[in-house]
């Protein structure tokens, strides 16, 4: 998910299979009290993105964490595994052998939180609305394979795709496919602000400070019809200014679960037991960090310049010295743990080599030193980002082949400027939308790519990626995905850096933590409880 993921908007960085607790005192349901989840994520309304909780705009992990618990989708990911199961739907499936017609039957008795009936017309309205608004930087690309949506009756939805897409059921599990009340949302305009109205297991009341969300209170939705059973009647998400404030709230008992984004030093402190009454859980993560290149920018327009950077960057040093091994080096857009991963960048460029980089630049006739500005966001990916970019700058400059400088920019400006092509080289993160290698390739390649990158590769766009989507048995698509990764390594439109491990800090009385994230690391608040498992 970007997502901006992104927020990188796709896995949640420091959120893993242990979530939620309660510092509140109300006795609010079967779980024994309000569960408080703390995060340093920022959800803000800006002039360019005025509707951070509207499915037509939101494409970041923080916003999706809120929306996932308030909206229903036709399909969802199960407690364990990556095969989608029905949610608002009673049943769904492809009706042909080419994965081009997808039919769903809705559950009986579906209503929105205000009691209004939810029908197939609302499903069609919602899918059409995201595609019609097509907000820049939004999730419309996830639904771009839809040709048309039909509603034969109030419970039947038939989705015709413009091309085969075996990943389509997984895309329907994301908040991009959230079902909205067609009587409540404008079909052509975003809903500005922070109001959310859906049919999911929780309703949401939000509190804001200016244009920033500071708290989201989730209350059990008695009108919900589905198979999910919330373990707590009330869950509260609090948004902190920085990881130091979040750590203090955790130590003071104001927060029961903390996620996103602790520094490596804080993780060491928490793992050493210096905050009483909490446990730290580490697990592999599939969120990635990478450098993005504007391949039309004069500084990096020559492929040889990007290849030289790929030969110089020392990922091992980054994760050792900057991130204290809270991540792993990454040599492909597709991370380890996702099917079809291969270490394409290591296979192509080997270990860091000044001599190799010099040869690449000399053979291409590039004059050195090459002047570069490395741009990063100061307030989105954690407190160590500035150190990371200082280290990258120093690695390049130590070669004598580059004269690099860094600049830090706040996220609200950074994301728009990056999409406008203002930066030659900049740092981004990606959090998966759904657990498939397609979701680490398709968002970065093609006309409407997430980065708004000018890079094009017809072999990937017109041949290899479409072939992968024809294969319902995803393992059969591995050869094409490996070839795609090799082509990306050859052209270097992006440079994978490292893959985050996941950490969750939770109080010892919190239950359901093993199910708090689905296989795309989407936060499932309904799984969280307090006290003995029942």
């Amino acid at each position: 998910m970007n997502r901006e993921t992104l927020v990188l908007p796709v896995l949640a960085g420091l959120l893993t299979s242990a979530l939620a607790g309660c510092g509140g005192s109300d006795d609010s349901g079967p779980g024994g009290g309000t569960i408080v989840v703390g995060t340093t994520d920022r959800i803000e309304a800006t002039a360019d993105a005025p509707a951070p909780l509207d499915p037509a705009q939101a494409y970041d992990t923080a916003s999706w964490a809120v929306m996932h618990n308030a909206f229903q989708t036709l399909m969802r990911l199960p407690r364990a595994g990556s095969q989608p199961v029905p949610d608002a739907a009673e049943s769904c499936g492809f009706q042909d052998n080419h994965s081009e017609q997808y039919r769903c039957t809705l559950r009986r008795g579906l209503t929105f939180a205000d009691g209004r009936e939810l029908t197939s017309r609302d499903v069609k309205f919602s899918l059409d609305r995201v595609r019609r608004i097509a907000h820049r930087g939004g999730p419309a690309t996830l639904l771009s394979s839809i040709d048309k949506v039909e509603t034969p009756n109030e419970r039947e939805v038939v989705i015709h795709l413009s091309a085969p897409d075996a990943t389509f059921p997984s895309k329907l599990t994301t908040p991009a496919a959230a079902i909205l009340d067609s009587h409540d949302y404008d079909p052509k305009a975003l809903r500005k602000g922070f109001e959310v109205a859906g049919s999911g297991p929780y309703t949401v009341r939000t509190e804001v400070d200016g244009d920033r969300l500071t708290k989201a209170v989730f209350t059990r939705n008695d009108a919900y019809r589905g198979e999910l059973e919330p373990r707590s009647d009330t869950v509260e998400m609090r948004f902190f200014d920085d990881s130091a404030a979040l750590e203090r709230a955790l130590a003071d008992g104001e927060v029961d679960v903390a996620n996103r984004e602790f520094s490596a030093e804080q993780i060491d402190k928490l793992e050493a037991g210096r905050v009483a009454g909490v446990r730290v859980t580490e697990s592999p993560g599939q969120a990635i960090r990478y450098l993005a290149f504007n391949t039309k920018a004069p500084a990096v327009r020559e492929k040889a310049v990007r290849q030289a950077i790929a030969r110089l960057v020392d990922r091992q040093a980054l994760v050792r010295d900057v991130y204290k091994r809270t991540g792993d080096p990454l040599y492909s857009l597709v991370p380890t743990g996702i099917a079809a991963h291969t270490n394409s960048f290591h296979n192509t460029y080997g270990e860091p080599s000044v001599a190799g980089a010099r040869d690449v630049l000399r053979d291409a006739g590039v004059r050195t030193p090459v002047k570069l500005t490395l741009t990063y966001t100061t307030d989105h990916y954690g407190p160590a980002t500035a150190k990371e970019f200082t280290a990258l700058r120093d690695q390049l400059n130590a070669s004598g082949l580059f004269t690099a400088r860094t600049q830090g920019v706040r996220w609200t400006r950074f994301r728009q400027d990056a999409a406008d092509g203002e930066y030659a080289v900049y740092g981004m993160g990606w959090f998966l939308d759904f657990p498939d290698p397609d979701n680490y390739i398709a968002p970065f390649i093609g006309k409407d790519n997430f980065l708004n990158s000018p890079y094009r590769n017809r072999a990937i766009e017109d041949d290899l990626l479409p072939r992968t989507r024809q294969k319902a048995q995803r393992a059969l698509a591995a050869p094409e995905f490996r070839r795609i990764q090799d082509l990306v390594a050859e052209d270097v439109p992006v440079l994978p850096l490292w893959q985050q491990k996941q950490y969750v800090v939770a109080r010892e009385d919190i239950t359901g933590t093993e199910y708090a994230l689905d296989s795309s690391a989407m936060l499932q608040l309904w799984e969280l409880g307090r006290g003995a498992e029942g």
Side-chain angles (χ1 to χ4, degrees), residues 55-70:
Q57 175 194 298
Y59 199 16
D60 63 272
T61 301
S63 295
W64 277 22
V66 174
M67 294 160 57
H68 184 60
N69 293 278

Side-chain angles (χ1 to χ4, degrees), residues 220-523:
R220 180 192 291 262
N221 176 17
D222 291 332
Y224 167 72
R225 297 293 178 270
E227 294 184 355
L228 303 175
E229 183 61 38
R231 296 178 178 228
S232 288
D233 283 352
T234 309
V235 180
E236 184 177 298
M237 293 183 69
R238 298 182 190 173
F239 300 84
F240 291 83
D241 289 334
D242 52 47
S243 60
L246 176 55
E247 183 187 340
R248 287 194 298 270
L250 181 68
D252 291 343
E254 297 174 8
V255 166
D256 301 303
V257 175
N259 82 288
R260 295 176 53 81
E261 295 264 0
F262 284 123
S263 69
E265 290 77 13
Q266 286 176 303
I267 292 296
D268 284 344
K269 176 180 177 180
L270 292 164
E271 288 186 322
R274 281 183 268 169
V275 176
V278 301
R279 64 182 184 274
V280 179
T281 302
E282 175 187 314
S283 68
Q286 291 162 337
I288 68 172
R289 295 288 293 277
Y290 59 94
L291 289 179
F293 296 95
N294 175 1
T295 56
K296 285 188 175 180
V300 294
R301 182 169 50 217
E302 287 280 352
K303 181 167 65 174
V305 174
R306 307 193 301 270
Q307 291 175 330
I309 295 172
R311 285 189 176 273
L312 290 173
V313 167
D314 188 340
R315 298 167 176 82
Q316 296 281 356
L318 284 180
V319 299
R320 181 190 66 234
D321 300 336
V322 177
Y323 288 100
K324 312 301 180 185
R325 295 186 172 86
T326 56
D328 295 305
L330 180 63
Y331 298 94
S332 173
L333 271 178
V334 179
T336 58
I338 293 291
H341 163 82
T342 185
N343 289 318
S344 295
F345 275 82
H346 193 276
N347 296 341
T348 302
Y349 301 106
E351 296 298 320
S353 169
V354 173
R358 182 182 295 111
D359 289 345
V360 168
L361 293 172
R362 184 189 61 237
D363 291 348
V366 176
R367 296 181 61 182
T368 59
V370 178
K371 292 184 178 180
L372 283 181
T373 298
L374 309 177
T375 305
Y376 64 93
T377 178
T378 58
D379 58 341
H380 193 68
Y381 294 123
T385 308
K387 295 179 182 178
E388 175 184 6
F389 273 73
T390 297
L392 287 169
R393 178 200 66 195
D394 292 348
Q395 288 179 10
L396 296 180
N397 290 346
S399 70
L401 302 173
F402 290 88
T403 302
R405 59 181 288 268
T406 64
Q407 68 170 348
V409 180
R410 285 183 60 82
W411 175 254
T412 49
R413 176 185 149 204
F414 173 89
R415 184 67 190 98
Q416 190 62 47
D417 285 354
D420 289 341
E422 295 293 326
Y423 310 135
V425 189
Y426 57 100
M428 289 289 288
W430 182 254
F431 302 82
L432 79 169
D433 302 319
F434 54 90
D436 190 282
D438 181 285
N439 192 234
Y440 290 94
I441 301 296
F444 301 95
I445 306 295
K447 179 181 177 182
D448 297 317
N449 66 81
F450 165 70
L451 296 172
N452 200 34
S453 167
Y455 172 73
R456 298 290 180 271
N457 188 304
R458 292 303 173 192
I460 297 174
E461 296 173 48
D462 299 340
D463 180 27
L464 293 167
L465 197 57
R467 278 161 53 189
T468 68
R469 292 176 172 174
Q470 296 175 24
K471 298 179 179 181
Q473 296 184 42
R474 302 305 287 155
L476 298 180
E480 288 87 353
F481 279 123
R482 293 190 182 105
R483 177 58 181 152
I484 290 171
Q485 291 169 82
D486 289 344
L487 289 172
V488 170
E490 170 65 22
D491 289 349
V492 202
V494 296
L495 181 64
L497 295 174
W498 59 284
Q499 177 176 345
Q500 291 178 322
K501 295 179 182 178
Q502 297 188 123
Y503 296 89
V504 170
V505 184
R507 297 206 165 272
E508 294 173 347
D509 63 341
I510 300 304
T511 63
T513 56
E514 66 272 28
Y515 302 123
L517 296 179
D518 63 22
S519 56
S520 68
M522 190 69 71
L523 178 58

